[in-house]
Every structure is written in C-alpha cells, then in structure tokens.
Amino acid sequence: MAYDYISRTYGVEFKPGERVAMDGKPGTVVRAQGDPQYLRVRFDGQKHVSNAHPTWQIERLPAAQP
C-alpha cells in the first residue's frame, strides 16, 4: 500500500485514485512521494499536487461513475 505510514499512524487508509475533498475542495489522491505523513492530492482544476493531512478536514467522495 502506498500510504502505509498514514494507515499505521492515523488509522485511516487511502489509495491513489481515490476521490477526496479537503475543506470542501475536491481532488484525487495521487501516489505517495516525499513526507509520508501527508496525502498527495491533485485538486480539481490544478496542475500541481498538494500535501493534505489525512485527518484534517478530509472527506471521502463517491467514486466517479463510468
């Protein structure tokens, strides 16, 4: 799993491709890189990837329907 540290430390699991919202802003979890305590999220409409703390105002969104 890409986010083992987050799973062990915070008791929550995330996977690349999962849809989330942070503080109401929707985005997609991307592969882990760098600091293991943060999720890497590409927010909708953004080209860059941001760090998001896995327990601070994170909400899981329903998977996109094909």
Side-chain angles (χ1 to χ4, degrees), residues 45-62:
Q46 300 291 315
K47 292 183 181 183
H48 67 281
V49 177
S50 300
N51 289 335
H53 195 277
T55 63
W56 189 82
Q57 296 190 6
I58 288 286
E59 170 189 357
R60 293 177 196 273
L61 298 176

Side-chain angles (χ1 to χ4, degrees), residues 9-11 13 18 21 27 34-35 39 41 44 49 51 53 60 63-64:
T9 305
Y10 302 109
E13 293 188 15
E18 185 172 354
D35 194 339
L39 293 173
V41 180
D44 294 357
V49 177
N51 289 335
H53 195 277
R60 293 177 196 273

Side-chain angles (χ1 to χ4, degrees), residues 22-42:
M22 183 182 86
D23 200 20
K25 193 172 173 183
T28 303
V29 175
V30 298
R31 71 179 176 85
Q33 179 180 334
D35 194 339
Q37 72 181 7
Y38 292 103
L39 293 173
R40 303 279 294 154
V41 180
R42 179 171 287 113

